[in-house]
Amino acid sequence: MLQLFTRADVAALVGELYGCAPWLAERAWQALPLSSPAACKLRLAQIVREATHEQQVSLLLAHGDFSASDSGTDEAGPGGAWRMQASEGELRRMRELAAEYARQFGWPFVPDLAGPLARGLGAAQILGALQRRLENPPEMELAESLRQLHRIAELRLNGKLGLRPLLGEQVLDWCERLARHSEPPWREQGRLTVTYLSEAHRACAGQLREWMNECGFDEVHVDAVGNVVGLYHADRRDAPRLLTGSHYDTVRDAGRLDGRVGIFVPMACVRELAREGRRLPFGIEVVGFAEEEGQRFAAAFLGSSALIGAFDPAWLDLRDAQGMRMREAMLEAGLPADMQAIHALRRDPARYLGFVEVHIEQGPVLEALDLPLGVVHSINASWRALGEVVGVASHAGTTPMQARRDAACAVAEVMLLAERSAAAEPGAVATVGQLEVPGGSVNVVPGRCRFSLDVRAPADALRDRVRAVVEKGLHEVCRRRGLRAQLRETLREPAAPSDAGLQERWERAVAGLGVEAHGMSSGAGHDSMKMHRLLPQAMLFVRGSLGGISHNALESSTADDLQLACLAFQRMIEDFCVSC
Amino acid sequence: MLQLFTRADVAALVGELYGCAPWLAERAWQALPLSSPAACKLRLAQIVREATHEQQVSLLLAHGDFSASDSGTDEAGPGGAWRMQASEGELRRMRELAAEYARQFGWPFVPDLAGPLARGLGAAQILGALQRRLENPPEMELAESLRQLHRIAELRLNGKLGLRPLLGEQVLDWCERLARHSEPPWREQGRLTVTYLSEAHRACAGQLREWMNECGFDEVHVDAVGNVVGLYHADRRDAPRLLTGSHYDTVRDAGRLDGRVGIFVPMACVRELAREGRRLPFGIEVVGFAEEEGQRFAAAFLGSSALIGAFDPAWLDLRDAQGMRMREAMLEAGLPADMQAIHALRRDPARYLGFVEVHIEQGPVLEALDLPLGVVHSINASWRALGEVVGVASHAGTTPMQARRDAACAVAEVMLLAERSAAAEPGAVATVGQLEVPGGSVNVVPGRCRFSLDVRAPADALRDRVRAVVEKGLHEVCRRRGLRAQLRETLREPAAPSDAGLQERWERAVAGLGVEAHGMSSGAGHDSMKMHRLLPQAMLFVRGSLGGISHNALESSTADDLQLACLAFQRMIEDFCVSC
């Protein structure tokens, strides 16, 4: 552990991590004692977040130009790797853009030179980030730059303490290696798509099975719907089991962590147990769910539906875009395609302690708070609809404002109403993601406007309140403007609140790492949402980089954050050992 | 003239025109004396417009089912024509839809059975109107139904007084006959498209020339840019001339009256003068402008530009969609394609009294006021731009409301700001006609939103005020929301206020018909806008049916309204005879 006794110790450490910043050193000193390296990193980031704009910018100015500095790692090490590979053209372009960046923002470009695994990024990746970040609004880019400083400080602190996030690195390594299995043409482009029962999907199942065996699971098999199930036995027969896992299928052109970290984090923990030869008073059952994303067939959550006995027999007759039935795809993959076998997958709740799932956040909340982990209180209730407002198309020049029946202005009112209504309810979100005046012309008042509506909230009643306000508003606006509106519901899912006991176990585990156990709701759906119908459940979120970008090749997290997720999982297991 | 002396006379007349409605008869009696049939029609329509909703609906209920009544003309005459042609299927469909209509609105369907020329419409046209009107909001459909009642009353009054709008019929006949010249494939579909120097365009020029000769113009020729020019000599040499006319080219899939009535109304008046052998103290020069709509080449107002000496030589090198240069198209059409010849077309302002133009309104203002004619005070200044707001696309479920950078919500704010700002300035209009979230998904917060903006107002300063409010608002909204915006101006045209003297002549002419001389601005651009640079100008608008729909095959007006336009033109000429 880090021993800090005097103001001078702290000033020296802060100087090594961030460069000379007496105000930061002073506030860090006031924040002592700090219980762990994670707590130290978090507190420093919080101090910077609460500092003035000038202080924040001064840190970036003190850090200086990336091409001149080693950015937190040895010049010969990963932080300098890009320089050795970069072409002359890349270097020139980088200098030009960095100069443009400094002019635009008033501080130097601070890139991520190390990457999630601290193994160094290439020139092309750094150039890509530079181009992307030139597009950021100043406030957003300042926040992103400061996060890079924190990441550099984190790597420097690791180096200083001789820490290495080995479990997190293992998880990221598995993510990278599993991502080699992808469907063409994504595979050829180095990108990732794995849909249900495709060749890549079956290769993933085989790979997971192999790795689970290597980790020391006692029983590993692929079940009747393609789930990969690994069981690590308890220290006694008939002991209960802790069920955990997440999905290994992906959306098209996906990130590499979505779903998969929820399989790998428990795998890494079981591997540690097996290495120690340690048995717990409960078994650990890790499921790689075969399907969650609903990409190939018009049905989602196939894997978890099977485990809760809710696999709809009609799904077997669904056809993919090529016309192949799910039943045929199953038979081709060597699965029985037999409802009796699928029904047999239903778990007996009496035999389980509950279901826990680790997942990347896929959102910006944790990153904005500089927190590596979050504890999910509820998976949001959701509702979707497609809407259309019909007015009267007319000449934009000759139709007086009071004689218009402008369909798009009505939708504009509804959009802002939806935004206000959701903002007024804690945890609720409302989105108009699709918006179009079909065949619109610059000089024609819109006679028609189409839009989508997506409303989510931590509780059904809350979601329904927002939905009702928006629906009522739509009809009021249209009545007032003399328009017709229709709204067609396309999805309605209830909320899945976390089990209080499981949630508290996650909270204790996270707090034990010296990190604030931030409670949050999940805006996206997860396997836990289905498992909720059968078992108590609670999820742990891991911070995603770049605003939590997801369903995108840029999706990422760091080995350090994933290390904390593994440590939290281990602590949760210990917590169960004490009290289950 | 109509002689009405007693309450009983009035009650009898109103009963014949509208059916039994004592309240209407009483208010009509109070409105006496009325100076003309036009004044009588207008006053009755105004009384109905000011009546209660119940009284209005009672008129429709009293009128009854169209299929049972003769709707204002003899059953054997035009009002019953449809019944003789209708197929069994059409009649059944009509009964079904009429029943649905009555259920939906609470009053019977009152169609236009007579058509603009009072010659009767076919079953398919009536069925089309029924289908279209079922889509109307109730308030709008009530207004349209009452307008049909007024039209029926007008035809009944004409019949009673033995009036026939012969000049208006002539104008409509010419419109119909000229519309036979159209480019394929529109010609094959019975629709209208005539773009600059196409085969149909040249056929139109030849037809206009022939008709002008038949009308008794003294000199008729097609000039170097394709304008058809007819001159009716004055009673003396070197007399000044009154310049008038409008365009004969069309947009794609156009109405038949747009532009053309402005050639035919003065043609009809000159024909009357020639028939009487009457010469005026000034010449009348009628121009059928060859090009106004800018459909074939990326330049508009070619015909009027030539007359004011503003034909840009660079236009000769513009290419149409097939790659043909304007120069080549001119040569192919037998025009010299020679800038010297085009420059020679510039008129000497000293030789002209001014420019007047008759045009269909292309908007809903006159119809909503039950007025057949309007006097234009100004052709609006206009400004157009294409805009784009760039935010950050993010997950609709996982991005909290306060962390969003939603490009579409920002545009929604700007749309409503534009609407409010324009509504607050008399005569100003602002329109977002194109609106799109490119590649939007139901579950993605819009990272990008594109829109168009069109602002017009009777004066440049007014337009610029609205424009400035909207532009400033866009940037404020984007700053507040952390977004980037750009707005690219694509058009800016100054206002063309009418000449006070010419405008007063139109006002006196219209008032002399017993009709209110309603002053209004023109939201659309017209040849007068260009002629304004050279000569004093003022326009007369004729009411368009169906909310003034234009640039559409449904565009229409009645022979009665066009008759009034011809009478107004004649009165304006007389006014000049007295005072020029």
Side-chain angles (χ1 to χ4, degrees):
Chain A
M1 264 311 299
L2 191 63
Q3 300 297 325
L4 298 168
F5 296 109
T6 68
R7 264 200 164 80
D9 290 342
V10 173
L13 178 68
V14 167
E16 285 178 61
L17 301 187
Y18 286 92
C20 179
W23 59 272
L24 180 55
E26 179 58 26
R27 297 211 46 198
W29 163 252
Q30 288 161 9
L32 292 185
L34 293 164
S35 61
S36 69
C40 175
K41 295 169 190 173
L42 172 56
R43 192 70 197 99
L44 284 166
Q46 284 171 338
I47 293 169
V48 172
R49 199 171 65 244
E50 289 154 11
T52 65
H53 180 87
E54 286 66 33
Q55 287 172 329
Q56 292 174 342
V57 171
S58 75
L59 284 183
L60 294 166
L61 293 168
H63 183 80
D65 183 10
F66 78 99
S67 59
S69 88
D70 67 358
S71 288
T73 48
D74 275 353
E75 180 60 19
W82 63 275
R83 210 190 305 268
M84 279 164 267
Q85 322 156 350
S87 71
E88 261 314 304
E90 281 173 329
L91 285 174
R92 192 172 52 247
R93 184 84 186 118
M94 226 183 269
R95 275 194 300 272
E96 284 165 10
L97 289 180
E100 186 184 328
Y101 177 101
R103 264 197 310 280
Q104 183 172 320
F105 293 111
W107 60 78
F109 175 58
V110 180
D112 176 12
L113 297 179
L117 280 160
R119 289 177 191 163
L121 292 181
Q125 284 166 299
I126 295 165
L127 202 46
L130 183 43
Q131 280 164 329
R132 178 179 59 74
R133 286 168 56 183
L134 274 166
E135 299 279 298
N136 276 346
E139 179 204 339
M140 195 176 179
E141 177 53 25
L142 177 58
E144 184 158 353
S145 298
L146 293 174
R147 284 194 291 270
Q148 293 305 335
L149 281 194
H150 299 323
R151 174 67 176 150
I152 291 164
E154 175 172 69
L155 295 174
R156 287 173 174 167
L157 186 62
N158 287 354
K160 189 170 172 61
L161 299 180
L163 294 173
R164 201 168 149 199
L166 287 171
L167 295 176
E169 288 179 10
Q170 177 62 69
V171 169
L172 275 184
D173 262 337
W174 277 329
C175 287
E176 283 303 313
R177 286 163 64 194
L178 197 63
R180 289 176 201 160
H181 303 289
S182 173
E183 296 166 25
W186 292 273
R187 182 175 53 224
E188 283 67 44
Q189 298 156 2
R191 298 199 148 176
L192 177 61
T193 297
V194 177
T195 66
Y196 188 47
L197 301 181
S198 64
E199 201 183 316
H201 186 269
R202 285 177 268 156
C204 285
Q207 181 66 84
L208 288 174
R209 197 170 168 167
E210 187 185 321
W211 286 337
M212 283 186 182
N213 279 318
E214 286 171 13
C215 283
F217 282 84
D218 300 295
E219 300 173 30
V220 180
H221 73 285
V222 177
D223 75 15
V225 298
N227 297 324
V228 183
V229 184
L231 179 61
Y232 187 68
H233 287 166
D235 60 4
R236 67 203 76 171
R237 281 176 58 94
D238 301 327
R241 293 178 191 172
L242 177 64
L243 193 63
T244 186
S246 191
H247 61 98
Y248 67 89
D249 73 317
T250 75
V251 295
R252 294 188 163 79
D253 207 0
R256 294 160 186 226
L257 281 66
D258 183 356
R260 296 160 174 211
V261 296
I263 309 170
F264 296 140
V265 166
M267 268 171 60
C269 295
V270 165
R271 189 189 65 178
E272 297 306 296
L273 291 172
R275 281 183 181 172
E276 295 168 30
R278 186 169 166 215
R279 295 289 170 179
L280 308 176
F282 51 91
I284 300 181
E285 185 176 331
V286 179
V287 182
F289 289 103
E291 210 285 342
E292 188 253 26
E293 300 281 11
Q295 297 286 308
R296 180 166 178 186
F297 299 97
F301 299 98
L302 299 180
S304 44
S305 293
L307 262 63
I308 64 170
F311 192 100
D312 184 344
W315 291 344
L316 293 179
D317 291 313
L318 291 176
R319 289 178 189 274
D320 68 7
Q322 274 67 52
M324 185 186 250
R325 285 184 205 276
M326 190 187 292
R327 183 192 309 279
E328 296 156 11
M330 282 179 158
L331 290 171
E332 195 184 88
L335 303 180
D338 165 31
M339 277 312 297
Q340 206 171 346
I342 295 172
H343 281 314
L345 301 181
R346 183 179 184 278
R347 299 301 194 262
D348 174 6
R351 298 193 57 197
Y352 288 87
L353 298 172
F355 180 76
V356 293
E357 181 177 2
V358 179
H359 206 282
I360 189 149
E361 182 200 340
Q362 304 183 279
V365 173
L366 293 172
E367 190 186 55
L369 295 170
D370 296 307
L371 291 172
L373 301 173
V375 176
V376 175
H377 287 184
S378 176
I379 301 172
N380 280 351
S382 60
W383 177 81
R384 287 185 190 170
L386 294 175
E388 183 172 51
V389 171
V390 179
V392 177
S394 59
H395 193 298
T398 62
T399 315
M401 297 311 286
Q402 61 281 8
R404 294 176 173 217
R405 294 173 187 266
D406 186 326
C409 279
V411 173
E413 280 199 64
V414 174
M415 288 168 69
L416 297 175
L417 174 66
E419 192 185 38
R420 275 197 310 278
S421 317
E425 301 281 5
V429 287
T431 309
V432 171
Q434 295 173 318
L435 177 66
E436 187 199 9
V437 172
S441 291
V442 61
N443 61 342
V444 176
V445 177
R448 204 171 277 271
C449 187
R450 296 200 190 115
F451 62 101
S452 66
L453 202 45
D454 179 303
V455 176
R456 313 193 197 193
D460 297 1
L462 194 56
R463 172 203 61 189
D464 290 339
R465 200 151 65 222
V466 174
R467 183 179 60 73
V469 168
V470 176
E471 274 195 282
K472 186 155 164 275
L474 171 65
H475 293 294
E476 275 172 8
V477 165
C478 287
R479 194 156 42 240
R480 170 161 47 77
R481 289 177 174 267
L483 310 168
R484 287 179 302 122
Q486 55 182 31
L487 206 55
R488 187 166 56 81
E489 178 177 306
T490 57
L491 179 140
R492 183 193 296 247
E493 277 285 345
S498 300
D499 174 73
L502 285 179
Q503 183 184 311
E504 280 163 26
R505 287 187 197 275
W506 279 128
E507 284 165 356
R508 280 194 295 272
V510 173
L513 298 170
V515 175
E516 180 193 335
H518 180 72
M520 59 191 299
S521 61
S522 168
H526 294 291
D527 289 305
S528 289
M529 196 173 77
K530 289 286 170 193
M531 298 307 296
H532 179 78
R533 300 199 200 162
L534 190 80
L535 288 175
Q537 59 79 24
M539 295 185 74
L540 180 73
F541 273 174
V542 186
R543 163 170 58 187
S545 310
L546 303 179
I549 191 168
S550 189
H551 291 186
N552 188 301
L554 286 175
E555 181 185 72
S556 70
S557 186
T558 62
D560 294 82
D561 286 357
L562 289 163
Q563 175 79 10
L564 291 174
C566 292
L567 296 178
F569 199 92
Q570 287 178 328
R571 282 181 170 266
M572 208 231 353
I573 287 172
E574 299 302 333
D575 198 65
F576 264 115
C577 290
V578 175
S579 67
C580 90
Chain B
M1 262 311 300
L2 192 62
Q3 301 296 327
L4 297 168
F5 296 107
T6 70
R7 266 201 163 80
D9 290 342
V10 172
L13 178 69
V14 167
E16 285 178 61
L17 301 187
Y18 285 92
C20 178
W23 58 272
L24 180 55
E26 180 58 25
R27 298 209 47 199
W29 163 251
Q30 288 160 10
L32 292 186
L34 293 162
S35 62
S36 69
C40 175
K41 295 170 190 172
L42 172 55
R43 193 69 197 97
L44 284 166
Q46 284 171 338
I47 293 169
V48 171
R49 200 170 67 244
E50 290 155 10
T52 66
H53 180 85
E54 286 67 33
Q55 287 172 329
Q56 292 174 341
V57 171
S58 75
L59 284 183
L60 294 166
L61 292 168
H63 183 79
D65 184 9
F66 78 100
S67 60
S69 88
D70 66 358
S71 288
T73 48
D74 275 353
E75 180 60 18
W82 64 274
R83 210 189 305 268
M84 279 165 266
Q85 320 157 351
S87 72
E88 260 313 304
E90 281 172 328
L91 285 174
R92 193 173 50 245
R93 185 83 185 118
M94 227 181 271
R95 275 193 300 272
E96 285 166 10
L97 289 180
E100 187 183 329
Y101 178 101
R103 264 198 309 279
Q104 183 171 320
F105 293 111
W107 60 79
F109 176 58
V110 180
D112 176 12
L113 297 179
L117 279 160
R119 290 177 191 162
L121 293 182
Q125 284 165 299
I126 295 165
L127 200 48
L130 183 44
Q131 280 163 329
R132 178 179 59 74
R133 286 169 56 183
L134 273 166
E135 299 279 296
N136 276 345
E139 179 204 339
M140 196 176 178
E141 177 52 25
L142 177 58
E144 183 158 351
S145 299
L146 293 174
R147 285 194 292 271
Q148 293 306 334
L149 280 196
H150 300 322
R151 175 64 176 152
I152 291 164
E154 175 172 66
L155 295 174
R156 287 173 174 167
L157 187 63
N158 287 355
K160 189 171 172 57
L161 300 179
L163 294 172
R164 205 171 146 196
L166 288 169
L167 296 176
E169 288 179 10
Q170 176 63 69
V171 169
L172 275 185
D173 260 337
W174 277 328
C175 287
E176 283 303 311
R177 287 163 64 193
L178 197 65
R180 289 176 201 158
H181 303 291
S182 172
E183 296 167 25
W186 291 273
R187 182 175 52 223
E188 284 66 44
Q189 298 156 3
R191 299 199 150 176
L192 177 63
T193 297
V194 177
T195 67
Y196 188 47
L197 300 181
S198 65
E199 201 183 315
H201 187 268
R202 286 177 267 156
C204 285
Q207 181 66 82
L208 287 174
R209 198 171 167 166
E210 187 185 320
W211 286 338
M212 282 186 182
N213 279 318
E214 287 171 12
C215 284
F217 281 84
D218 300 295
E219 300 173 30
V220 180
H221 74 285
V222 176
D223 75 13
V225 297
N227 297 325
V228 183
V229 183
L231 179 61
Y232 186 68
H233 288 166
D235 59 4
R236 69 205 75 171
R237 282 175 60 92
D238 301 327
R241 292 179 191 169
L242 177 64
L243 193 63
T244 186
S246 191
H247 61 98
Y248 68 88
D249 73 317
T250 75
V251 295
R252 293 189 164 78
D253 208 359
R256 295 161 184 225
L257 281 65
D258 183 357
R260 294 159 174 212
V261 297
I263 309 170
F264 296 142
V265 166
M267 268 171 60
C269 295
V270 165
R271 189 188 66 179
E272 295 308 294
L273 291 172
R275 280 185 181 173
E276 295 167 30
R278 186 170 166 213
R279 294 289 170 181
L280 307 176
F282 51 90
I284 299 180
E285 186 176 330
V286 180
V287 182
F289 290 104
E291 209 286 340
E292 188 255 23
E293 300 281 9
Q295 296 286 306
R296 181 166 177 186
F297 299 97
F301 299 98
L302 301 179
S304 44
S305 292
L307 262 63
I308 65 169
F311 192 101
D312 184 345
W315 291 344
L316 294 179
D317 291 314
L318 291 175
R319 290 177 187 275
D320 69 8
Q322 275 66 52
M324 186 186 252
R325 284 184 205 276
M326 190 188 292
R327 183 191 309 279
E328 295 156 12
M330 283 179 158
L331 291 171
E332 195 184 89
L335 303 180
D338 166 30
M339 276 312 296
Q340 207 172 343
I342 294 173
H343 281 314
L345 301 180
R346 184 179 183 277
R347 299 301 194 262
D348 174 5
R351 297 192 58 197
Y352 288 88
L353 297 172
F355 179 76
V356 293
E357 181 177 2
V358 179
H359 206 282
I360 189 148
E361 181 199 341
Q362 305 183 278
V365 174
L366 294 172
E367 190 186 55
L369 296 169
D370 296 307
L371 291 172
L373 300 174
V375 177
V376 175
H377 286 186
S378 175
I379 301 172
N380 279 352
S382 60
W383 177 80
R384 289 186 190 168
L386 294 175
E388 183 172 52
V389 171
V390 179
V392 177
S394 59
H395 193 297
T398 62
T399 316
M401 296 311 287
Q402 61 280 7
R404 295 177 173 217
R405 293 172 188 265
D406 186 326
C409 279
V411 174
E413 280 198 64
V414 174
M415 287 169 67
L416 297 175
L417 173 66
E419 191 184 39
R420 274 197 310 278
S421 317
E425 301 281 5
V429 287
T431 309
V432 172
Q434 295 173 316
L435 177 65
E436 188 200 10
V437 173
S441 292
V442 61
N443 62 343
V444 177
V445 177
R448 203 171 279 270
C449 186
R450 297 200 189 114
F451 61 101
S452 67
L453 201 47
D454 179 304
V455 177
R456 312 194 198 193
D460 297 1
L462 193 57
R463 172 204 61 188
D464 291 340
R465 201 150 66 223
V466 174
R467 182 178 62 73
V469 168
V470 176
E471 274 195 281
K472 186 155 164 276
L474 170 65
H475 293 294
E476 274 171 10
V477 165
C478 287
R479 195 155 43 239
R480 170 161 45 77
R481 288 175 175 268
L483 310 168
R484 288 180 302 121
Q486 55 182 31
L487 206 55
R488 187 165 57 81
E489 178 177 305
T490 56
L491 179 141
R492 184 193 295 247
E493 278 286 346
S498 300
D499 174 73
L502 285 179
Q503 183 184 309
E504 280 164 25
R505 287 186 198 276
W506 277 128
E507 285 166 357
R508 279 195 294 272
V510 173
L513 298 170
V515 174
E516 181 193 335
H518 180 72
M520 59 191 299
S521 61
S522 168
H526 294 291
D527 290 305
S528 290
M529 195 173 79
K530 288 286 170 192
M531 297 309 296
H532 178 78
R533 300 199 200 162
L534 191 80
L535 288 173
Q537 59 78 25
M539 294 185 74
L540 180 73
F541 273 175
V542 186
R543 163 171 58 188
S545 310
L546 302 179
I549 191 168
S550 188
H551 291 187
N552 188 303
L554 287 176
E555 180 185 71
S556 70
S557 187
T558 63
D560 295 81
D561 285 358
L562 290 163
Q563 176 78 12
L564 291 174
C566 292
L567 296 179
F569 199 92
Q570 287 178 328
R571 281 181 170 267
M572 208 233 349
I573 288 172
E574 298 303 331
D575 198 64
F576 264 115
C577 290
V578 174
S579 68
C580 90

